[in-house]
Amino acid sequence: MAFSADELRVLRRALATALNPAPLQDEDVQDCLRLAESVDDAVREAGRLRAFLVADLARYREALPGSRPGYLELLQDALADGYEPVADDLSALRTLRAHPRAAHLLERCQILVERSVRARLARVSQAVATAPRARLLALAGGRAADEPKPSTPKPPAPVKRPAPKPSEVFPPRRRPVPPPPPEERVAG
């Protein structure tokens, strides 16, 4: 992200004010708000660009092997931008590994995926280690002897319904109405 000379001036003033608190003039406050809005716009635009790059990468991956040069270039750009390769990328690179650039990218992606998995596992194991431990009540010795056992409610007695009558199950048949005699039919 690059700042203009004016934005750097505003940023410098804001940092100086943060280090040495002093009342700000209205103009300085407005400048800081404009700078914050510009930074937010740049962050949103970077997110949109990243989403477009990932979608474009998926389109090129689906068109392999014909799109190999474009796919490899897009993947390299995405990796430089912080993209974490997915299983489809590894699979595509394995099919293209005869090409030296694809083989190099495959090695790089495998290292990145391994680091990512290790980092996730470390976060999960840290979360598990810091989580409070509950006593295991299902194991012998887990429940204190003086604690009363929780009572389980008894299921309600089934409601007995009377058996249906045959006329309710099999309604009476209606007799078909005979068609009118031929002389009463009118041609329309």
Side-chain angles (χ1 to χ4, degrees):
M1 181 181 297
F3 292 103
S4 69
D6 287 336
E7 290 172 334
L8 283 175
R9 180 181 51 78
V10 170
L11 186 59
R12 193 175 321 121
R13 277 196 327 240
L15 289 173
T17 302
L19 292 174
N20 299 317
L24 289 173
Q25 296 177 3
D26 289 341
E27 181 183 321
D28 291 340
V29 171
Q30 293 302 319
D31 288 343
C32 287
L33 290 174
R34 277 194 295 273
L35 177 63
E37 188 176 314
S38 296
V39 169
D40 288 344
D41 287 343
V43 168
R44 281 191 297 272
E45 185 61 32
R48 284 192 294 269
L49 182 61
R50 191 174 303 110
F52 174 78
L53 179 65
V54 169
D56 209 22
L57 186 64
R59 283 191 293 274
Y60 272 82
R61 185 175 51 237
E62 290 170 5
L64 285 174
S67 63
R68 179 183 47 85
Y71 173 71
L72 295 177
E73 185 176 333
L74 277 174
L75 181 60
Q76 194 166 4
D77 291 345
L79 291 173
D81 195 36
Y83 172 72
E84 288 189 14
V86 295
D88 290 341
D89 292 317
L90 294 175
S91 176
L93 288 171
R94 284 185 190 109
T95 62
L96 299 172
R97 93 176 93 191
H99 189 270
R101 188 172 172 195
H104 173 71
L105 280 173
L106 176 61
E107 289 175 21
R108 184 174 170 195
C109 287
Q110 286 174 331
I111 291 169
L112 290 173
V113 167
E114 184 177 332
R115 282 185 196 159
S116 174
V117 168
R118 287 180 190 266
R120 276 188 261 143
L121 286 174
R123 283 193 302 268
V124 167
S125 61
Q126 182 182 12
V128 168
T130 59
R133 302 247 180 201
R135 292 190 315 174
L136 296 175
L137 300 177
L139 297 177
R143 178 177 298 156
D146 58 344
E147 286 183 20
K149 292 184 180 181
S151 62
T152 56
K154 294 182 180 179
V159 178
K160 292 189 177 187
R161 296 183 183 163
K165 298 177 186 175
S167 62
E168 293 174 344
V169 177
F170 303 106
R173 289 189 190 172
R174 299 214 171 145
R175 296 188 179 168
V177 178
E183 56 262 358
E184 290 182 13
R185 289 189 198 161
V186 178

PDB file of all heavy atoms in Angstrom, residues 123-135:
ATOM      1  N   ARG A 123      -2.358 -24.540  16.832  1.00  0.00           N
ATOM      2  CA  ARG A 123      -3.427 -23.724  17.419  1.00  0.00           C
ATOM      3  C   ARG A 123      -4.449 -24.606  18.121  1.00  0.00           C
ATOM      4  O   ARG A 123      -4.915 -24.284  19.210  1.00  0.00           O
ATOM      5  CB  ARG A 123      -4.101 -22.879  16.341  1.00  0.00           C
ATOM      6  CG  ARG A 123      -3.300 -21.674  15.929  1.00  0.00           C
ATOM      7  CD  ARG A 123      -4.131 -20.712  15.103  1.00  0.00           C
ATOM      8  NE  ARG A 123      -4.683 -21.296  13.903  1.00  0.00           N
ATOM      9  CZ  ARG A 123      -4.114 -21.280  12.707  1.00  0.00           C
ATOM     10  NH1 ARG A 123      -2.940 -20.685  12.544  1.00  0.00           N
ATOM     11  NH2 ARG A 123      -4.697 -21.825  11.661  1.00  0.00           N
ATOM     12  N   VAL A 124      -4.792 -25.735  17.486  1.00  0.00           N
ATOM     13  CA  VAL A 124      -5.777 -26.637  18.087  1.00  0.00           C
ATOM     14  C   VAL A 124      -5.223 -27.240  19.364  1.00  0.00           C
ATOM     15  O   VAL A 124      -5.914 -27.283  20.388  1.00  0.00           O
ATOM     16  CB  VAL A 124      -6.187 -27.742  17.083  1.00  0.00           C
ATOM     17  CG1 VAL A 124      -6.945 -28.850  17.775  1.00  0.00           C
ATOM     18  CG2 VAL A 124      -7.002 -27.145  15.961  1.00  0.00           C
ATOM     19  N   SER A 125      -3.981 -27.691  19.349  1.00  0.00           N
ATOM     20  CA  SER A 125      -3.418 -28.310  20.552  1.00  0.00           C
ATOM     21  C   SER A 125      -3.241 -27.272  21.654  1.00  0.00           C
ATOM     22  O   SER A 125      -3.407 -27.589  22.834  1.00  0.00           O
ATOM     23  CB  SER A 125      -2.100 -29.010  20.245  1.00  0.00           C
ATOM     24  OG  SER A 125      -1.145 -28.096  19.767  1.00  0.00           O
ATOM     25  N   GLN A 126      -2.961 -26.025  21.293  1.00  0.00           N
ATOM     26  CA  GLN A 126      -2.859 -24.967  22.302  1.00  0.00           C
ATOM     27  C   GLN A 126      -4.232 -24.687  22.901  1.00  0.00           C
ATOM     28  O   GLN A 126      -4.361 -24.516  24.103  1.00  0.00           O
ATOM     29  CB  GLN A 126      -2.288 -23.699  21.702  1.00  0.00           C
ATOM     30  CG  GLN A 126      -2.120 -22.584  22.707  1.00  0.00           C
ATOM     31  CD  GLN A 126      -1.591 -21.318  22.071  1.00  0.00           C
ATOM     32  OE1 GLN A 126      -1.552 -21.193  20.857  1.00  0.00           O
ATOM     33  NE2 GLN A 126      -1.179 -20.382  22.903  1.00  0.00           N
ATOM     34  N   ALA A 127      -5.260 -24.679  22.060  1.00  0.00           N
ATOM     35  CA  ALA A 127      -6.612 -24.442  22.565  1.00  0.00           C
ATOM     36  C   ALA A 127      -7.046 -25.583  23.480  1.00  0.00           C
ATOM     37  O   ALA A 127      -7.692 -25.359  24.502  1.00  0.00           O
ATOM     38  CB  ALA A 127      -7.586 -24.294  21.405  1.00  0.00           C
ATOM     39  N   VAL A 128      -6.680 -26.795  23.120  1.00  0.00           N
ATOM     40  CA  VAL A 128      -7.030 -27.949  23.951  1.00  0.00           C
ATOM     41  C   VAL A 128      -6.271 -27.894  25.272  1.00  0.00           C
ATOM     42  O   VAL A 128      -6.826 -28.189  26.328  1.00  0.00           O
ATOM     43  CB  VAL A 128      -6.737 -29.271  23.196  1.00  0.00           C
ATOM     44  CG1 VAL A 128      -6.809 -30.460  24.118  1.00  0.00           C
ATOM     45  CG2 VAL A 128      -7.705 -29.426  22.043  1.00  0.00           C
ATOM     46  N   ALA A 129      -5.009 -27.482  25.223  1.00  0.00           N
ATOM     47  CA  ALA A 129      -4.198 -27.440  26.442  1.00  0.00           C
ATOM     48  C   ALA A 129      -4.690 -26.362  27.395  1.00  0.00           C
ATOM     49  O   ALA A 129      -4.611 -26.535  28.614  1.00  0.00           O
ATOM     50  CB  ALA A 129      -2.734 -27.190  26.090  1.00  0.00           C
ATOM     51  N   THR A 130      -5.207 -25.265  26.880  1.00  0.00           N
ATOM     52  CA  THR A 130      -5.651 -24.177  27.755  1.00  0.00           C
ATOM     53  C   THR A 130      -7.109 -24.312  28.157  1.00  0.00           C
ATOM     54  O   THR A 130      -7.576 -23.570  29.016  1.00  0.00           O
ATOM     55  CB  THR A 130      -5.456 -22.816  27.070  1.00  0.00           C
ATOM     56  OG1 THR A 130      -6.196 -22.801  25.851  1.00  0.00           O
ATOM     57  CG2 THR A 130      -3.990 -22.554  26.803  1.00  0.00           C
ATOM     58  N   ALA A 131      -7.839 -25.248  27.557  1.00  0.00           N
ATOM     59  CA  ALA A 131      -9.250 -25.427  27.900  1.00  0.00           C
ATOM     60  C   ALA A 131      -9.358 -26.031  29.292  1.00  0.00           C
ATOM     61  O   ALA A 131      -8.567 -26.896  29.676  1.00  0.00           O
ATOM     62  CB  ALA A 131      -9.939 -26.333  26.882  1.00  0.00           C
ATOM     63  N   PRO A 132     -10.339 -25.590  30.080  1.00  0.00           N
ATOM     64  CA  PRO A 132     -10.500 -26.176  31.418  1.00  0.00           C
ATOM     65  C   PRO A 132     -10.923 -27.637  31.307  1.00  0.00           C
ATOM     66  O   PRO A 132     -11.705 -28.007  30.447  1.00  0.00           O
ATOM     67  CB  PRO A 132     -11.604 -25.320  32.053  1.00  0.00           C
ATOM     68  CG  PRO A 132     -12.328 -24.710  30.916  1.00  0.00           C
ATOM     69  CD  PRO A 132     -11.333 -24.582  29.796  1.00  0.00           C
ATOM     70  N   ARG A 133     -10.384 -28.437  32.173  1.00  0.00           N
ATOM     71  CA  ARG A 133     -10.685 -29.872  32.144  1.00  0.00           C
ATOM     72  C   ARG A 133     -11.886 -30.156  33.040  1.00  0.00           C
ATOM     73  O   ARG A 133     -11.956 -29.710  34.170  1.00  0.00           O
ATOM     74  CB  ARG A 133      -9.493 -30.679  32.636  1.00  0.00           C
ATOM     75  CG  ARG A 133      -8.245 -30.425  31.838  1.00  0.00           C
ATOM     76  CD  ARG A 133      -7.882 -31.621  31.094  1.00  0.00           C
ATOM     77  NE  ARG A 133      -6.671 -31.327  30.327  1.00  0.00           N
ATOM     78  CZ  ARG A 133      -6.338 -32.003  29.301  1.00  0.00           C
ATOM     79  NH1 ARG A 133      -7.083 -32.999  28.918  1.00  0.00           N
ATOM     80  NH2 ARG A 133      -5.256 -31.731  28.645  1.00  0.00           N
ATOM     81  N   ALA A 134     -12.802 -30.933  32.529  1.00  0.00           N
ATOM     82  CA  ALA A 134     -13.965 -31.355  33.312  1.00  0.00           C
ATOM     83  C   ALA A 134     -13.700 -32.767  33.819  1.00  0.00           C
ATOM     84  O   ALA A 134     -12.995 -33.551  33.194  1.00  0.00           O
ATOM     85  CB  ALA A 134     -15.214 -31.336  32.448  1.00  0.00           C
ATOM     86  N   ARG A 135     -14.296 -33.084  34.950  1.00  0.00           N
ATOM     87  CA  ARG A 135     -14.145 -34.434  35.467  1.00  0.00           C
ATOM     88  C   ARG A 135     -14.928 -35.387  34.592  1.00  0.00           C
ATOM     89  O   ARG A 135     -16.006 -35.066  34.103  1.00  0.00           O
ATOM     90  CB  ARG A 135     -14.677 -34.521  36.887  1.00  0.00           C
ATOM     91  CG  ARG A 135     -13.835 -33.747  37.860  1.00  0.00           C
ATOM     92  CD  ARG A 135     -14.223 -34.020  39.270  1.00  0.00           C
ATOM     93  NE  ARG A 135     -15.663 -34.001  39.463  1.00  0.00           N
ATOM     94  CZ  ARG A 135     -16.258 -34.315  40.587  1.00  0.00           C
ATOM     95  NH1 ARG A 135     -15.542 -34.663  41.622  1.00  0.00           N
ATOM     96  NH2 ARG A 135     -17.560 -34.267  40.699  1.00  0.00           N
TER      97      ARG A 135
END
